[in-house]
Amino acid sequence: MPTTQAHEQHAGMDPGEGAARAPAPGPRRPRVLHFVTGGFSSGSVQVAIQLVNAGLAGGRVEPLLVLRRKRRTDPARVAELQEAGTPVRVVPGWTHAATIAALVRLCREFRPDVFVAHGFSEHLWGRYAGLLAGVPHLVHVEHNSRERYTPWRRAQTRWLAARTSRIVGCSEGVRQVLLAMGMPPGRTIAIPNGIRIEPFAAATPPPPSRRVPGVVMVSRLSRQKDHATLLRAVALLGQRGLRPPVLLAGQGKPRYLRPLQKLSRELGLDGQVRFLGLCRNVPELLMEHRVCVLATHYEGMPLALIEGMAAGCVAIGSAVVGVRELLEDGGNGLLVPESDPGALADALAVALQDDALADRLGAAAREEAMARYTRERMNARYEAMFLELAAAPPFRA
């Protein structure tokens, strides 16, 4: 998903600070508005950006990216998007009412045929705006298997679902979570996330046994991710005489970074564990190292892990929704129980010491990622859905 670190790259302005790209001459193409957070700390932003850029490149739809301003929205990233040719606008995020009002005005200006609301809680405010503006078709895309749904917000989600043309989970696991929430089965589908494979396909990486015998975890620092379990597992490895270098690539707020740095010091891992922050060379980093890890409490469909698979690493992940869909334990990677340092240490020891197994798992993971989890597959499925909806009469509950 660009790499997961580059995933966390772009942000915004207020309505009117940018302009939607003018449609090309000829018949009016279906217009698709993608609304997503402007915080850029999750894969939902990268998926939305990619779908907008794919729509531009394909020429079959006219897309627009709309970001909800957050405190950490970086204007430089918005400028980066604009310079790359991505049509982008930013709406206020200081209150839900302000967000909805700005989106209604923008919908009446852009006149989308399909309004795509990505992620929680943007899918609520986006769909309310779409309804008020009379957008023919609403699409809700859920990007995670666990969100902060209160009973009231769950009730709103069900009410909006009855007025939504399609509800999309970014993995089959997320689709099952949505169905358990009461989403309509006939309109709830799964479209798996995909990554940009060109950086991993440009050259055939060496097998894991011939790489730096190190561990890479690419992930933002947040409550969702479980860096602490990885650090504790690495300390347990040290008791077995194994001291691989560990690279943690990802940004995060100081309130998440400082406790991890403190834990690393307390475990005696200074000099062994490096906190890299934002990395622009994630594909190279992964293809140079033997093992990639995603220790996590919950997921949708993790782009970082798909990238590690595409790089041919030995992929190790927590056995949670989304990860279980990607990894077959012993087939194309290793699964470990969530928050279990001992089990993760065992898996790391095997991955670092068994060359034949490491090479087999790395090759199988790379083949799976390159065949099934590409952006092209993801883009094609979303575009087919947008064109189908745009050609259909406006949805009515």
Side-chain angles (χ1 to χ4, degrees):
M1 206 207 190
T3 69
T4 302
Q5 285 308 294
H7 294 193
E8 301 169 2
Q9 281 185 58
H10 308 288
M13 316 163 297
D14 288 321
E17 285 185 317
R21 177 169 297 187
R28 181 187 185 278
R29 293 169 292 161
R31 292 179 180 173
V32 181
L33 186 155
H34 292 267
F35 174 57
V36 69
T37 177
F40 299 101
S41 60
S42 69
S44 62
V45 184
Q46 187 60 27
V47 170
I49 292 169
Q50 170 55 27
L51 291 173
V52 168
N53 289 335
L56 287 173
R60 300 181 71 188
V61 300
E62 182 182 346
L64 175 64
L65 176 67
V66 181
L67 304 171
R68 181 184 179 207
R69 183 184 294 280
K70 296 293 185 76
R71 286 192 301 272
R72 58 189 181 275
T73 296
D74 184 356
R77 294 183 176 179
V78 176
E80 190 176 319
L81 278 173
Q82 292 175 316
E83 289 166 8
T86 304
V88 58
R89 303 281 285 271
V90 176
V91 296
W94 56 281
T95 68
H96 302 150
T99 298
I100 293 169
L103 281 172
V104 170
R105 291 194 298 270
L106 189 51
C107 285
R108 288 173 178 164
E109 172 193 336
F110 182 63
R111 294 181 294 115
D113 301 281
V114 182
F115 187 115
V116 189
H118 292 267
F120 181 87
S121 61
E122 279 69 22
H123 74 74
L124 297 175
W125 327 125
R127 285 187 288 170
Y128 282 132
L131 287 173
L132 289 170
V135 176
H137 294 281
L138 306 179
V139 175
H140 162 201
V141 183
E142 191 85 343
H143 288 274
N144 226 324
S145 61
R146 189 189 305 174
E147 295 291 4
R148 300 181 301 278
Y149 281 103
T150 62
W152 171 230
R153 288 193 174 179
R154 193 179 297 267
Q156 292 179 75
T157 300
R158 292 193 183 111
W159 186 87
L160 286 164
R163 293 151 179 84
T164 300
S165 298
R166 292 290 184 276
I167 300 163
V168 182
C170 68
S171 67
E172 178 58 30
V174 173
R175 175 179 174 270
Q176 292 301 323
V177 170
L178 289 167
L179 293 175
M181 287 175 58
M183 300 302 103
R187 287 180 279 117
T188 303
I189 65 174
I191 300 182
N193 285 343
I195 63 163
R196 180 171 172 259
I197 62 169
E198 288 79 4
F200 304 98
T204 302
S209 62
R210 291 169 48 199
R211 304 185 191 185
V212 175
V215 178
V216 179
M217 179 164 164
V218 181
S219 170
R220 73 187 188 279
L221 307 178
S222 68
R223 286 183 301 176
Q224 175 182 350
K225 310 301 181 180
D226 193 10
H227 294 81
T229 289
L230 175 58
L231 294 177
R232 293 188 176 99
V234 171
L236 292 174
L237 283 181
Q239 298 173 14
R240 308 181 193 185
L242 294 173
R243 293 180 175 82
V246 178
L247 305 179
L248 304 179
Q251 291 182 303
K253 297 178 180 178
R255 63 175 169 157
Y256 298 119
L257 173 61
R258 288 170 186 157
L260 292 172
Q261 291 174 324
K262 181 176 183 235
L263 177 62
S264 180
R265 288 192 300 271
E266 290 172 348
L267 294 172
L269 301 177
D270 279 353
Q272 183 181 352
V273 173
R274 293 172 57 199
F275 293 86
L276 302 180
L278 177 66
C279 290
R280 302 278 183 170
N281 64 333
V282 167
E284 293 81 6
L285 198 68
L286 290 167
M287 289 188 283
E288 289 169 359
H289 290 80
R290 181 163 176 144
V291 180
C292 77
V293 170
L294 182 62
T296 183
H297 297 298
Y298 56 94
E299 291 294 328
M301 174 157 281
L303 301 170
L305 189 58
I306 299 173
E307 289 182 338
M309 295 169 66
C313 296
V314 182
I316 303 176
S318 303
V320 298
V321 171
V323 176
R324 292 195 302 264
E325 194 166 324
L326 289 171
L327 295 183
E328 177 191 355
D329 188 39
N332 64 357
L334 298 172
L335 288 169
V336 296
E338 176 192 351
S339 301
D340 189 332
L344 181 52
D346 291 341
L348 286 167
V350 169
L352 291 166
Q353 294 179 300
D354 190 329
D355 288 349
L357 177 65
D359 290 349
R360 179 175 65 79
L361 293 179
R366 179 172 166 83
E367 181 179 359
E368 178 92 352
M370 303 289 268
R372 295 189 59 188
Y373 298 107
T374 67
R375 281 185 171 183
E376 289 74 17
R377 283 174 63 97
M378 179 186 76
N379 294 340
R381 291 193 61 185
Y382 272 104
E383 182 177 77
M385 178 180 67
F386 298 152
L387 293 173
E388 176 189 355
L389 293 177
F395 185 80
R396 294 288 181 266

